[in-house]
Amino acid sequence: MESSNSNKNTGLKIALGILLALFIGTGFYTSKLYNDKKKNEAELTKEKQLVMTDLSNMAKQYDIAIGENRVANEDLAEARGRIQNLMDSLKISQNSVNSLMSFRKKYLSLQEEMNVLLTENDKLRIENSLLATSLDSTNVRLAERTMFTDSLLVQNTELATVVENAAVLQTVGLKAFGVIERSSGKLIPTERARRSDKIRLCYTVAKNTLVGAGDKELYVQVLDPSDNVLGANEQIQFGETVLNYSLVSKFNYENRNLNICEFVAPKGEFSKGRYVVNIFNKKELVSTTEFTLE
């Protein structure tokens, strides 16, 4: 009788042991599933944020390209709108592998489209720049004719006065604007203050047969919106006149039209507002222009 009770107790203990083992195993498995789920959710959330960051960077590139165009480019604007729509959809999408793969494929497609559009936009900017150069050349020829006409009128005055007043270099076609300087050395015109790396100014020294050939120099003065002199900001005195200049433009004059371009950079960042560029032949102002950075 005692042996029978003993066998029953042993069997009960074994059954309890099995149930306890199953309970512990089930708890461990459930915990593992929960941890795996949390890990997968974290990875999907991270991948979703990466896709959102890529789309945001792409949108910024479009914003820069659109901002640098004086004439609205509908293709750029439409592509920018498609990116915004995709970003809005991504924000409310479910965190799933299939969903993120779909968004990643759409992003790659938009990336290819952007490369094509920005390349075409750069080509258009270059064509516009060449057109502007052609217009400047026309202005130079008109200036030569004007100088010739003026010289005919001056012949009615005394020869000494003609030599004294006409035997000086004159500049025409002065033009200045902000530029972005790429690492490759490529220069891209811009009207945005925060995007500008330097100010590029170009002008033409007009042909004047009364001026002898040789090394010459003109003084360039660039004033920011607060009337501060940018660049070297050095002084030179001509009689009682003191001139603060940004740089000395040195060149070899050969009795023919000469195109010259110079660069001026601030010691800090460019400010928004109106900039004035003056060119002096010693103390005499021979050219001036202005432009605005936004």
Side-chain angles (χ1 to χ4, degrees):
M1 188 68 175
E2 292 179 359
S3 175
S4 176
N5 290 333
S6 177
N7 290 335
K8 289 181 178 180
N9 290 334
T10 300
L12 182 59
K13 291 180 179 179
I14 292 173
L16 290 174
I18 292 173
L19 288 175
L20 180 61
L22 289 173
F23 178 77
I24 294 173
T26 301
F28 176 77
Y29 181 70
T30 302
S31 176
K32 185 176 184 304
L33 288 178
Y34 178 78
N35 290 334
D36 289 345
K37 179 182 178 182
K38 288 296 184 182
K39 181 178 180 181
N40 290 335
E41 289 179 350
E43 291 178 352
L44 289 174
T45 300
K46 181 179 180 181
E47 178 63 21
K48 181 177 180 179
Q49 186 58 46
L50 290 175
V51 175
M52 183 66 75
T53 299
D54 290 339
L55 289 172
S56 178
N57 290 335
M58 189 186 299
K60 290 178 182 178
Q61 289 182 269
Y62 272 117
D63 289 339
I64 293 173
I66 293 172
E68 291 173 349
N69 277 277
R70 294 184 178 180
V71 180
N73 189 318
E74 293 183 1
D75 291 337
L76 293 179
E78 291 176 358
R80 175 63 173 82
R82 286 192 287 274
I83 292 174
Q84 187 61 53
N85 291 337
L86 189 58
M87 292 173 65
D88 293 339
S89 299
L90 180 59
K91 289 178 182 179
I92 61 175
S93 66
Q94 297 294 324
N95 288 353
S96 67
V97 174
N98 290 336
S99 175
L100 289 177
M101 287 182 63
S102 175
F103 279 106
R104 177 60 73 179
K105 289 180 180 178
K106 292 178 181 178
Y107 161 74
L108 293 175
S109 176
L110 290 174
Q111 177 72 51
E112 293 178 359
E113 179 187 36
M114 184 184 73
N115 292 337
V116 173
L117 288 176
L118 293 187
T119 299
E120 292 177 351
N121 187 58
D122 286 342
K123 289 172 61 178
L124 181 61
R125 293 177 65 84
I126 292 173
E127 291 173 358
N128 290 338
S129 178
L130 293 175
L131 177 60
T133 301
S134 176
L135 291 174
D136 287 342
S137 298
T138 300
N139 290 335
V140 169
R141 290 193 293 271
L142 290 174
E144 288 179 340
R145 293 179 181 179
T146 300
M147 290 183 63
F148 178 73
T149 302
D150 290 344
S151 66
L152 292 177
L153 296 175
V154 171
Q155 289 178 5
N156 294 322
T157 64
E158 294 182 357
L159 180 61
T161 303
V162 172
V163 174
E164 179 180 358
N165 295 333
V168 294
L169 291 177
Q170 298 291 332
T171 62
V172 295
L174 176 60
K175 187 177 181 181
F177 46 90
V179 294
I180 303 169
E181 185 174 30
R182 301 296 191 197
S183 57
S184 62
K186 180 180 178 181
L187 299 174
I188 302 176
T190 180
E191 296 178 355
R192 305 287 292 276
R194 65 180 183 83
R195 294 283 295 160
S196 298
D197 296 316
K198 298 178 179 179
I199 290 175
R200 186 185 190 196
L201 57 98
C202 298
Y203 63 93
T204 298
V205 177
K207 175 181 177 181
N208 189 339
T209 57
L210 297 178
V211 178
D215 293 333
K216 307 292 182 181
E217 60 183 27
L218 296 173
Y219 294 89
V220 178
Q221 180 189 71
V222 181
L223 303 175
D224 70 8
S226 300
D227 288 334
N228 297 315
V229 179
L230 302 182
N233 191 16
E234 296 181 350
Q235 288 186 343
I236 188 169
Q237 187 163 354
F238 301 103
E240 297 180 357
T241 301
V242 177
L243 174 66
N244 285 68
Y245 61 89
S246 301
L247 62 89
V248 181
S249 185
K250 299 182 179 181
F251 52 91
N252 184 264
Y253 178 67
E254 298 178 346
N255 292 114
R256 61 184 180 183
N257 291 335
L258 179 63
N259 296 324
I260 297 176
C261 287
E262 303 283 6
F263 294 90
V264 176
K267 295 182 179 178
E269 296 182 352
F270 283 101
S271 302
K272 294 182 180 180
R274 182 177 66 92
Y275 288 74
V276 177
V277 179
N278 298 316
I279 298 182
F280 293 86
N281 187 344
K282 296 184 178 179
K283 66 178 181 179
E284 300 298 327
L285 178 64
V286 294
S287 284
T288 184
T289 189
E290 63 182 58
F291 64 98
T292 301
L293 293 179
E294 301 176 348

